[in-house]
Coordinates of all heavy atoms in Angstrom, one line a residue:
G1 N 0.7 -21.7 -2.7 CA -0.5 -21.4 -1.9 C -0.5 -20.0 -1.4 O -1.1 -19.8 -0.4
E2 N -0.1 -19.0 -2.2 CA -0.1 -17.6 -1.8 C -1.0 -16.8 -2.7 O -0.5 -15.8 -3.4 CB 1.3 -17.1 -1.8 CG 2.2 -17.8 -0.7 CD 3.5 -17.1 -0.7 OE1 3.7 -15.9 -0.9 OE2 4.5 -17.9 -0.3
P3 N -2.3 -17.0 -2.6 CA -3.2 -16.1 -3.5 C -3.3 -14.7 -2.9 O -3.3 -14.5 -1.7 CB -4.5 -16.9 -3.4 CG -4.5 -17.5 -2.1 CD -3.1 -17.9 -1.8
F4 N -3.5 -13.7 -3.6 CA -3.7 -12.3 -3.1 C -5.3 -12.2 -3.0 O -5.9 -12.1 -3.8 CB -3.2 -11.3 -4.1 CG -1.7 -11.3 -4.3 CD1 -1.2 -11.3 -5.6 CD2 -0.8 -11.6 -3.3 CE1 0.1 -11.3 -5.9 CE2 0.6 -11.7 -3.5 CZ 1.0 -11.5 -4.8
L5 N -5.6 -12.2 -1.6 CA -7.1 -12.1 -1.3 C -7.6 -10.8 -1.1 O -8.8 -10.5 -1.1 CB -7.4 -13.0 -0.2 CG -6.9 -14.5 -0.3 CD1 -7.1 -15.3 1.0 CD2 -7.7 -15.1 -1.4
W6 N -6.7 -9.8 -0.7 CA -7.1 -8.4 -0.4 C -6.2 -7.4 -1.0 O -5.0 -7.6 -1.0 CB -7.1 -8.2 1.1 CG -7.6 -6.8 1.6 CD1 -8.9 -6.3 1.6 CD2 -6.7 -5.8 2.1 NE1 -8.8 -5.1 2.0 CE2 -7.5 -4.7 2.3 CE3 -5.4 -5.7 2.4 CZ2 -7.0 -3.5 2.9 CZ3 -4.8 -4.6 2.8 CH2 -5.7 -3.4 3.1
S7 N -6.8 -6.5 -1.6 CA -6.0 -5.4 -2.2 C -6.7 -4.0 -2.1 O -7.9 -4.0 -1.8 CB -5.7 -5.6 -3.7 OG -7.0 -5.8 -4.4
I8 N -6.0 -3.0 -2.2 CA -6.6 -1.6 -2.0 C -5.9 -0.7 -2.9 O -4.6 -0.8 -3.1 CB -6.7 -1.2 -0.5 CG1 -7.5 0.1 -0.4 CG2 -5.2 -1.1 0.1 CD1 -7.7 0.4 1.1
E9 N -6.5 0.3 -3.5 CA -5.7 1.4 -4.1 C -4.8 2.2 -3.2 O -5.3 2.5 -2.0 CB -6.7 2.4 -4.8 CG -7.6 1.8 -5.8 CD -8.9 1.2 -5.2 OE1 -9.1 1.2 -3.9 OE2 -9.8 0.8 -6.0
P10 N -3.6 2.3 -3.5 CA -2.7 3.1 -2.6 C -3.2 4.4 -2.0 O -3.0 4.7 -0.9 CB -1.4 3.2 -3.4 CG -1.4 2.0 -4.3 CD -2.9 1.9 -4.7
H11 N -3.9 5.1 -2.9 CA -4.4 6.4 -2.6 C -5.5 6.3 -1.4 O -5.8 7.3 -0.7 CB -4.9 7.3 -3.7 CG -6.2 6.7 -4.3 ND1 -7.4 6.9 -3.8 CD2 -6.3 5.9 -5.4 CE1 -8.3 6.3 -4.6 NE2 -7.6 5.6 -5.4
A12 N -6.0 5.1 -1.2 CA -7.1 4.8 -0.3 C -6.6 4.4 1.0 O -7.4 4.2 2.0 CB -8.1 4.0 -0.9
I13 N -5.4 4.1 1.2 CA -5.0 3.4 2.4 C -5.0 4.2 3.6 O -5.2 3.8 4.7 CB -3.5 2.8 2.2 CG1 -3.2 1.7 3.3 CG2 -2.4 3.8 2.2 CD1 -3.9 0.4 3.1
S14 N -4.7 5.6 3.5 CA -4.8 6.5 4.6 C -6.2 6.5 5.2 O -6.4 6.4 6.4 CB -4.4 7.9 4.2 OG -4.5 8.8 5.3
E15 N -7.2 6.6 4.4 CA -8.6 6.5 4.9 C -8.9 5.2 5.4 O -9.6 5.1 6.5 CB -9.6 6.9 3.7 CG -11.0 6.9 4.1 CD -11.9 7.2 3.0 OE1 -11.5 7.5 1.8 OE2 -13.1 7.2 3.2
F16 N -8.5 4.2 4.8 CA -8.7 2.8 5.3 C -8.3 2.7 6.8 O -9.0 2.2 7.7 CB -8.1 1.8 4.5 CG -8.2 0.3 5.0 CD1 -9.4 -0.3 4.7 CD2 -7.3 -0.3 5.7 CE1 -9.5 -1.6 5.2 CE2 -7.4 -1.5 6.2 CZ -8.6 -2.2 6.0
V17 N -7.0 3.0 7.0 CA -6.5 2.9 8.5 C -7.1 3.8 9.4 O -7.3 3.6 10.5 CB -4.9 2.9 8.4 CG1 -4.3 1.8 7.7 CG2 -4.4 4.2 8.1
S18 N -7.4 5.1 8.9 CA -8.1 6.0 9.7 C -9.4 5.6 10.2 O -9.7 5.7 11.4 CB -8.2 7.3 8.9 OG -8.8 8.3 9.7
K19 N -10.2 5.0 9.3 CA -11.5 4.5 9.8 C -11.4 3.4 10.8 O -12.4 3.1 11.4 CB -12.2 3.9 8.6 CG -12.8 5.0 7.6 CD -13.6 4.3 6.4 CE -14.3 5.4 5.7 NZ -15.1 4.8 4.6
R20 N -10.3 2.8 11.0 CA -10.0 1.7 11.9 C -9.2 2.2 13.1 O -8.8 1.4 13.9 CB -9.3 0.5 11.2 CG -10.4 -0.3 10.5 CD -9.9 -0.7 9.1 NE -11.1 -1.1 8.4 CZ -11.9 -0.3 7.6 NH1 -11.4 0.8 7.3 NH2 -12.9 -0.9 7.0
G21 N -9.2 3.5 13.4 CA -8.6 4.1 14.5 C -7.1 4.3 14.5 O -6.4 4.5 15.5
F22 N -6.4 4.3 13.3 CA -5.0 4.4 13.2 C -4.7 5.7 12.3 O -5.5 6.1 11.5 CB -4.4 3.1 12.5 CG -4.4 1.9 13.4 CD1 -5.4 1.1 13.7 CD2 -3.1 1.7 14.0 CE1 -5.4 0.1 14.5 CE2 -3.1 0.6 14.9 CZ -4.2 -0.2 15.1
R23 N -3.4 6.1 12.4 CA -3.0 7.2 11.7 C -1.9 6.7 10.7 O -1.0 6.0 11.2 CB -2.5 8.3 12.6 CG -1.9 9.5 11.8 CD -1.4 10.6 12.8 NE -0.4 10.0 13.8 CZ 0.9 10.1 13.5 NH1 1.4 10.5 12.3 NH2 1.8 9.6 14.3
L24 N -2.0 6.9 9.5 CA -0.9 6.6 8.6 C 0.4 7.3 8.8 O 0.3 8.6 8.9 CB -1.4 6.9 7.1 CG -0.4 6.6 6.0 CD1 -0.1 5.1 5.9 CD2 -0.8 7.0 4.6
M25 N 1.5 6.7 9.1 CA 2.7 7.3 9.3 C 3.6 7.4 8.1 O 4.2 8.3 7.7 CB 3.5 6.6 10.5 CG 2.7 6.7 11.8 SD 3.6 5.8 13.1 CE 5.1 6.9 13.2
E26 N 3.6 6.2 7.4 CA 4.4 6.1 6.2 C 3.8 5.1 5.2 O 3.4 4.1 5.7 CB 5.9 5.9 6.5 CG 6.9 6.0 5.5 CD 8.3 5.9 5.8 OE1 8.6 6.0 7.0 OE2 9.1 5.7 4.9
I27 N 4.0 5.4 3.9 CA 3.7 4.3 2.9 C 4.9 4.3 2.0 O 5.3 5.4 1.6 CB 2.4 4.6 2.1 CG1 2.1 3.6 1.1 CG2 2.4 6.0 1.6 CD1 0.6 3.7 0.5
A28 N 5.3 3.1 1.6 CA 6.3 2.9 0.6 C 5.8 2.2 -0.5 O 5.5 0.9 -0.4 CB 7.6 2.3 1.2
L29 N 5.7 2.7 -1.7 CA 5.3 2.1 -2.9 C 6.4 1.2 -3.5 O 7.6 1.5 -3.2 CB 4.8 3.0 -3.9 CG 3.5 3.9 -3.4 CD1 3.2 4.9 -4.4 CD2 2.4 3.1 -2.9
T30 N 6.1 0.3 -4.3 CA 7.1 -0.5 -5.0 C 8.1 0.2 -5.6 O 9.3 0.0 -5.4 CB 6.4 -1.5 -5.9 OG1 5.4 -2.2 -5.4 CG2 7.5 -2.5 -6.5
Q31 N 7.8 1.3 -6.3 CA 8.8 2.1 -6.9 C 9.6 2.8 -5.9 O 10.8 3.1 -6.3 CB 8.1 3.1 -7.9 CG 7.4 2.7 -9.0 CD 6.0 2.3 -8.8 OE1 5.4 2.5 -7.7 NE2 5.3 1.6 -9.7
D32 N 9.2 3.1 -4.8 CA 10.1 3.7 -3.8 C 11.2 2.6 -3.3 O 12.2 3.1 -2.8 CB 9.2 4.1 -2.5 CG 8.2 5.1 -2.9 OD1 8.4 5.9 -3.8 OD2 7.2 5.1 -2.2
L33 N 10.9 1.5 -3.4 CA 11.8 0.4 -2.9 C 12.7 -0.3 -3.9 O 13.4 -1.2 -3.6 CB 10.9 -0.8 -2.2 CG 10.0 -0.2 -1.1 CD1 9.1 -1.3 -0.6 CD2 10.8 0.4 0.1
T34 N 12.4 0.0 -5.3 CA 13.1 -0.5 -6.3 C 14.0 0.5 -7.0 O 13.8 1.7 -6.7 CB 12.2 -1.2 -7.3 OG1 11.3 -0.3 -7.9 CG2 11.5 -2.4 -6.7
A35 N 14.8 0.1 -7.9 CA 15.7 1.0 -8.7 C 14.8 1.9 -9.5 O 13.7 1.6 -9.9 CB 16.6 0.2 -9.7
N36 N 15.3 3.2 -9.7 CA 14.5 4.2 -10.4 C 14.0 3.8 -11.7 O 12.9 4.2 -12.2 CB 15.2 5.5 -10.5 CG 15.4 6.1 -9.1 OD1 14.7 5.9 -8.2 ND2 16.5 7.0 -9.0
D37 N 14.8 2.9 -12.4 CA 14.3 2.5 -13.8 C 13.4 1.2 -13.8 O 13.1 0.8 -14.8 CB 15.6 2.3 -14.6 CG 16.4 1.1 -14.0 OD1 16.4 0.7 -12.9 OD2 17.4 0.7 -14.7
S38 N 13.1 0.7 -12.6 CA 12.2 -0.4 -12.5 C 10.8 -0.1 -12.9 O 10.2 1.0 -12.5 CB 12.3 -1.0 -11.1 OG 11.4 -2.1 -11.0
S39 N 10.2 -1.0 -13.6 CA 8.8 -0.8 -14.0 C 7.9 -1.7 -13.0 O 6.7 -1.8 -13.2 CB 8.4 -1.2 -15.4 OG 8.8 -2.5 -15.6
L40 N 8.5 -2.3 -12.1 CA 7.8 -3.3 -11.2 C 6.9 -2.5 -10.2 O 7.2 -1.5 -9.8 CB 8.8 -4.1 -10.3 CG 8.1 -5.1 -9.3 CD1 7.5 -6.2 -10.2 CD2 9.3 -5.7 -8.5
D41 N 5.7 -3.0 -10.1 CA 4.7 -2.4 -9.3 C 3.7 -3.3 -8.7 O 3.7 -4.5 -9.2 CB 3.8 -1.4 -10.2 CG 3.1 -0.4 -9.4 OD1 3.3 -0.4 -8.1 OD2 2.3 0.5 -9.9
G42 N 3.1 -3.1 -7.5 CA 2.2 -3.9 -7.0 C 2.1 -4.1 -5.5 O 1.1 -4.0 -4.8
E43 N 3.3 -4.4 -4.8 CA 3.4 -4.6 -3.4 C 3.8 -3.4 -2.7 O 4.9 -2.8 -3.2 CB 4.2 -5.8 -3.1 CG 4.1 -6.1 -1.6 CD 4.9 -7.4 -1.2 OE1 5.6 -8.0 -2.1 OE2 4.8 -7.8 0.0

């Protein structure tokens, strides 16, 4: 029962949080969190 209901393009996240009164401090893409040879992407 874990459907993905909301998503956003990673390049748009800074503007998204900024419009809501926040400053982006850091973003870690899936490739940043997995082995360099991983093709996994998404979260």
Side-chain angles (χ1 to χ4, degrees):
E2 296 187 25
F4 299 138
L5 301 175
W6 180 73
S7 61
I8 188 170
E9 297 88 352
H11 68 83
I13 199 70
S14 181
E15 181 180 356
F16 176 84
V17 298
S18 177
K19 284 183 176 181
R20 280 137 193 97
F22 286 80
R23 178 178 61 87
L24 178 66
M25 296 180 66
E26 190 168 348
I27 181 171
L29 302 177
T30 305
Q31 290 87 11
D32 300 333
L33 303 171
T34 59
N36 291 340
D37 60 346
S38 174
S39 62
L40 183 65
D41 199 3
E43 186 173 5

